[in-house]
Amino acid sequence: MADAGAEVSNNRIIFRDYVTGFPKESDMVLSSGKITLKVPEGDKAVLVKNLYLSCDPYMRGRMRKLDGPSYVDSFVPGSPLSGYGVAEVLDSGYPDFKKGDLVWGLTGWEEYSLISQTETLFKIKDTDVPLSYYTGLLGMPGMTAYIGFYEICFPKKGEFVYVSAASGAVGQLVGQFAKLTGCYVVGSAGSKEKVELLKNKLGFDEAFNYKEEPDLNAALKRYFPEGIDIYFENVGGSMLDAVLLNMRNHGRISVCGMISQYNLEKTEGVHNLMQLIIKRVRMEGFIVSDHYDKYPKFVEEVRQYLKEGKIVYVEDTVKGLENAPAALIGLFTGRNLGKQVVSLEQE
């Protein structure tokens, strides 16, 4: 590593321009810039070396020019992408962080980042788990699963739980939280390999490949003859429509994402919303960053589950910043198996 204050090259993934339809690798370009390894005098920013970057479905929304309110800004054409990551602090003008600290939070898709929004960073106190877990299990996706399941759905032992996109970063944890609560849980995914993972490694009671089901309503009736109490929504579209027909009275739907809609120019309509009234179902969307005050409680609880072997976590890691665009695009074709992570650590 170069000395503090030295100017070094800084490889970055630059966002080329706003995207319509399905994103392509060519929408993101590897480019080399320069950065000085020191926080400017009097600046409250933090300078970090990025170790792991997180590929997350919500990043697709940031690739379009927003024409209305959103909880997160669009990427800026000609600038590096940004997202969640794990990094080491090299220099700090902010008193809460010092050189050598490990942090997770929002950072740039580049080797080094100068982060001004230090409120988005969390100090990593426990390093007895893989650092990459702070892009997933112990980071934003883990919190998303925890808040969406426990705080939005209020599960009870014996309830029937359905999770779509169940083998991804969030879904795999929701299913395990459901089993720890004493629920019956079924997940859907898009390949035989993912279905086997859900049943054999992640402990789901049942799982099915939605691509092999010509009638999703019939499939859900098969797996939930008595109906669904809790649905953790990651997909939207025809999947949500089928779920609404199969909800039980006073069911709860936690709306985390709708990945089937992200690349459509015109989103699909939902036709069965009347079921919300008929069955007195509560459907609630949430943004995990609204709940970060609960992070200490979450991380303590989940680390204990991990230590006791009650939770397993599956990652899909690619090495090298140059492979980050392909890894991100892969989320939308279902190429990843588990949480998609990009490692920037040197061998």
Side-chain angles (χ1 to χ4, degrees):
M1 171 127 12
D3 295 334
E7 186 179 73
V8 298
S9 67
N10 187 25
N11 286 326
R12 306 174 295 170
I13 301 295
I14 300 294
F15 179 54
R16 193 193 285 275
D17 204 354
Y18 298 118
V19 174
T20 55
F22 207 95
K24 306 178 295 296
E25 286 182 49
S26 58
D27 294 318
M28 297 163 274
V29 183
L30 181 67
S31 172
S32 186
K34 297 279 188 187
I35 190 168
T36 301
L37 297 183
K38 188 152 186 64
V39 173
E41 198 67 41
D43 202 318
K44 295 262 197 264
V46 174
L47 178 77
V48 302
K49 177 175 174 53
N50 292 310
L51 305 175
Y52 294 95
L53 299 176
S54 177
C55 295
D56 296 297
Y58 83 91
M59 295 172 75
R60 173 62 185 90
R62 302 187 68 189
M63 291 181 167
R64 63 169 58 94
K65 189 168 187 177
L66 295 173
D67 53 7
S70 178
Y71 65 95
V72 64
D73 294 333
S74 296
F75 293 131
V76 178
S79 297
L81 279 79
S82 61
Y84 285 91
V86 172
E88 179 185 353
V89 176
L90 301 183
D91 190 30
S92 176
Y94 188 69
D96 286 7
F97 300 109
K98 64 182 191 301
K99 182 180 178 181
D101 283 347
L102 293 165
V103 295
W104 74 268
L106 289 172
T107 188
W109 274 36
E110 53 193 353
E111 291 178 284
Y112 302 95
S113 294
L114 185 66
I115 301 172
S116 299
Q117 293 178 298
T118 50
E119 69 277 6
T120 67
L121 297 178
F122 294 80
K123 193 182 290 188
I124 294 174
K125 294 174 181 168
D126 303 299
T127 55
D128 56 346
V129 297
L131 284 178
S132 57
Y133 278 16
Y134 288 92
T135 67
L137 173 64
L138 298 175
M140 181 274 288
M143 265 293 278
T144 301
Y146 183 88
I147 295 298
F149 186 61
Y150 291 115
E151 300 284 329
I152 307 290
C153 292
F154 303 104
K156 295 187 282 293
K157 184 178 179 181
E159 288 192 311
F160 300 100
V161 177
Y162 175 50
V163 186
S164 57
S167 69
V170 175
Q172 62 172 295
L173 291 171
V174 175
Q176 292 180 82
F177 290 154
K179 289 308 298 176
L180 287 167
T181 308
C183 300
Y184 172 83
V185 61
V186 176
S188 60
S191 73
K192 182 171 186 259
E193 187 183 12
K194 291 179 180 182
V195 167
E196 292 303 313
L197 176 75
L198 293 173
K199 292 199 289 193
N200 299 333
K201 184 161 186 177
L202 298 172
F204 283 62
D205 291 293
E206 283 291 348
F208 65 92
N209 183 347
Y210 69 90
K211 292 178 181 175
E212 295 177 348
E213 298 292 344
D215 184 338
L216 289 172
N217 178 27
L220 291 173
K221 280 186 167 39
R222 193 164 76 241
Y223 288 102
F224 294 99
E226 296 177 59
I228 299 166
D229 292 297
I230 291 173
Y231 173 45
F232 200 97
E233 166 68 303
N234 287 309
V235 170
S238 57
M239 180 66 80
L240 175 58
D241 244 357
V243 167
L244 287 167
L245 294 173
N246 287 278
M247 292 299 293
R248 301 180 81 185
N249 287 350
H250 305 290
R252 287 86 71 208
I253 299 175
S254 176
V255 186
C256 164
M258 294 190 172
I259 197 168
S260 72
Q261 305 300 296
Y262 294 167
N263 297 308
L264 302 180
E265 283 305 288
K266 186 171 190 262
T267 54
E268 295 172 317
V270 178
H271 307 282
N272 296 323
L273 288 172
M274 190 71 177
Q275 297 297 317
L276 297 176
I277 302 168
I278 297 166
K279 296 170 178 171
R280 287 82 87 199
V281 170
R282 184 166 58 80
M283 181 170 167
E284 183 176 343
F286 71 102
I287 303 299
V288 69
S289 55
D290 294 341
H291 302 270
Y292 277 151
D293 58 308
K294 299 184 178 72
Y295 182 71
K297 175 175 180 277
F298 152 78
V299 82
E300 183 182 342
E301 208 169 300
V302 174
R303 279 188 71 255
Q304 192 59 36
Y305 285 148
L306 202 55
K307 200 181 285 184
E308 294 170 3
K310 292 180 177 175
I311 275 185
V312 295
Y313 195 61
V314 179
E315 290 183 317
D316 190 332
T317 305
V318 302
K319 293 186 184 295
L321 185 64
E322 68 278 8
N323 295 313
L328 180 58
I329 299 298
L331 293 179
F332 305 106
T333 58
R335 195 173 67 192
N336 58 303
L337 188 66
K339 166 66 194 167
Q340 185 67 70
V341 182
V342 179
S343 172
L344 273 56
E345 288 206 295
Q346 302 299 317
E347 292 297 329

